[in-house]
Amino acid sequence: MGGDPTTFGNLNPPDQVLQAVRDSIELLKSRSYGPGKGHQDVREAVAEYCSHQGPVTPDDVILCSGCSHAIEMAVTVLADAGQNILVPRPGFLIYRTLSEGLGIEIKYYNLLPDQQWIVDLEDLENQIDDKTAAIVIINPSNPCGSVYSKEHLTEILDVASRNCVPIIADEIYEHMVFSGNEYHAISSLSTDVPVLSCGGITKRFLVPGWRMGWVIIHDRQKIFEKEVREGLNNMTTRILGPSTLVQRALPAILQLTPQSFFDEVLLFLESQAKLAYEALRRIPGLRPVMPQGAMYMMIQIKMSLFPQFKSELQFVERLMSEQSVFCLPGKVNIK
């Protein structure tokens, strides 16, 4: 399953979500431009929905055209050309795409496959230099499916605090965790490290095409008080704000979607992940890592057992051409 949970038509939003947009269509105010950062009442609804992240006010919320737009805003505001941001390896490719166009360098820190893809803290700290503008933390992980414990998130915050580096928290898969695991927003654990949390309704509500996301500013020590807040506000004018049609539906979407819907989707995802894991682990030459959440599974290919292929890229290309199974090569070395 890829990043679009709606591809095969077997996962659909509940009627409460669909009805919210039907109702929005009838509103005159859903057809007009809105404030660049989003309507006040909508930001209030997001602030309430995201209260698990720590103290959040409507002024801390900036609505965006999907989580990808939120990520772009966070990277653009925090880093200048010539600086670098630290991104997990394996990680989400959009960070490289966005940064290269802005003259921002990407530096990678390793995740540990034999420890459920937690951050290699020593490697993370070694990558930090005087040009590091931010650390990207993807939790739950795309593409590893890992969910970090409270203790591990605290360790990451300790590294950021010692080096005075802010965090971009990519949390589009928040709450999408399998049984036996617990999600914690890294911002809820931070006392001094400022965090820009990027999220939205794409994954959890199964509506990626509606392009509704947000950046939430967490800044207990007021380090972002002037330049970063002003920068984010100024950047909202570039697209004249996100869709007002979906904005007007958003409070109802966030408030009326039943917990039973989320439970059923998670149960389905976890059952599919277990099914795939059990099948793949029996195939010689493949070693899957059972995900703890999200919609992804990383699989090690023992290339020595496939001498006809020169690289993992050739392997996944043949998989696609012969079996119509699409995989993204991980480009991660696992000893």
Side-chain angles (χ1 to χ4, degrees):
M1 180 177 294
D4 186 344
T6 69
T7 299
F8 300 108
N10 58 341
L11 288 173
N12 294 290
D15 192 61
Q16 290 90 339
V17 170
L18 301 177
Q19 188 59 47
V21 174
R22 294 186 192 108
D23 293 342
S24 179
I25 289 173
E26 302 299 327
L27 300 174
L28 176 63
K29 57 188 177 182
S30 74
R31 304 163 203 167
S32 307
Y33 288 124
K37 64 188 297 185
H39 286 285
Q40 174 75 17
D41 61 322
V42 183
R43 288 186 287 110
E44 289 174 359
V46 173
E48 180 181 356
Y49 174 76
C50 294
S51 60
H52 63 279
Q53 296 183 8
V56 181
T57 71
D59 288 339
D60 299 323
V61 177
I62 294 174
L63 300 183
C64 308
S65 183
C67 190
S68 296
H69 181 218
I71 291 168
E72 179 188 23
M73 290 183 66
V75 170
T76 304
V77 166
L78 290 183
D80 292 325
Q83 291 185 298
N84 63 71
I85 61 172
L86 306 189
V87 176
R89 179 172 53 198
F92 186 28
L93 294 175
I94 195 171
Y95 290 96
R96 178 179 175 182
T97 304
L98 292 174
S99 298
E100 286 183 348
L102 296 168
I104 298 165
E105 181 187 0
I106 289 289
K107 296 182 71 176
Y108 295 99
Y109 63 87
N110 291 326
L111 305 181
L112 300 172
D114 294 324
Q115 299 181 52
Q116 283 293 335
W117 301 106
I118 65 172
V119 174
D120 183 333
L121 296 168
E122 182 179 358
D123 187 50
L124 173 65
E125 192 147 21
N126 287 341
Q127 299 305 322
I128 298 173
D129 58 30
D130 58 2
K131 293 184 178 180
T132 300
I135 298 169
V136 174
I137 301 297
I138 308 176
N139 179 51
S141 171
N142 172 0
C144 300
S146 53
V147 178
Y148 296 153
S149 68
K150 181 185 294 187
E151 292 72 24
H152 187 52
L153 291 170
T154 300
E155 292 172 333
I156 294 168
L157 285 167
D158 287 343
V159 173
S161 179
R162 280 197 305 272
N163 293 277
C164 300
V165 181
I167 285 175
I168 297 173
D170 183 340
E171 296 175 325
I172 189 62
Y173 288 100
E174 64 175 359
H175 306 302
M176 297 185 72
V177 301
F178 299 157
S179 54
N181 299 279
E182 188 175 357
Y183 166 73
H184 299 278
I186 194 169
S187 55
S188 70
L189 306 174
S190 176
T191 57
D192 61 336
V193 177
V195 178
L196 294 183
S197 295
C198 301
I201 62 173
T202 292
K203 312 297 184 182
R204 195 183 187 207
F205 294 84
L206 306 179
V207 285
W210 289 4
R211 312 310 302 138
M212 180 54 61
W214 49 73
V215 175
I216 299 182
I217 304 166
H218 300 277
D219 185 24
R220 297 182 185 180
Q221 303 302 320
K222 300 190 183 304
I223 297 167
F224 284 169
E225 191 62 25
K226 184 171 175 59
E227 289 187 355
V228 172
R229 283 184 182 270
E230 286 185 2
L232 287 169
N233 284 327
N234 291 340
M235 283 193 64
T236 64
T237 63
R238 294 175 64 186
I239 65 166
L240 302 179
S243 165
T244 50
L245 176 66
V246 184
Q247 271 194 67
R248 289 303 184 186
L250 191 55
I253 290 172
L254 298 179
Q255 295 162 10
L256 300 181
T257 302
Q259 183 61 42
S260 59
F261 163 74
F262 300 130
D263 295 342
E264 289 170 8
V265 171
L266 271 178
L267 185 63
F268 175 78
L269 291 175
E270 184 170 359
S271 67
Q272 295 298 103
K274 288 178 178 177
L275 185 68
Y277 175 77
E278 290 300 325
L280 290 166
R281 66 194 291 260
R282 292 194 293 267
I283 299 175
L286 300 183
R287 184 172 73 89
V289 179
M290 178 63 194
Q292 299 169 311
M295 298 177 176
Y296 307 94
M297 180 184 295
M298 290 292 290
I299 304 163
Q300 179 190 10
I301 305 171
K302 297 178 182 178
M303 295 303 297
S304 60
L305 297 183
F306 302 97
Q308 67 270 42
F309 300 110
K310 294 181 180 179
S311 68
E312 62 178 23
L313 181 59
Q314 284 189 353
F315 183 96
V316 298
E317 285 177 342
R318 187 73 64 83
L319 195 62
M320 181 64 186
S321 63
E322 292 187 3
Q323 301 296 328
S324 298
V325 175
F326 176 68
C327 299
L328 285 174
K331 293 295 183 185
V332 58
N333 294 319
I334 302 175
K335 295 181 180 178

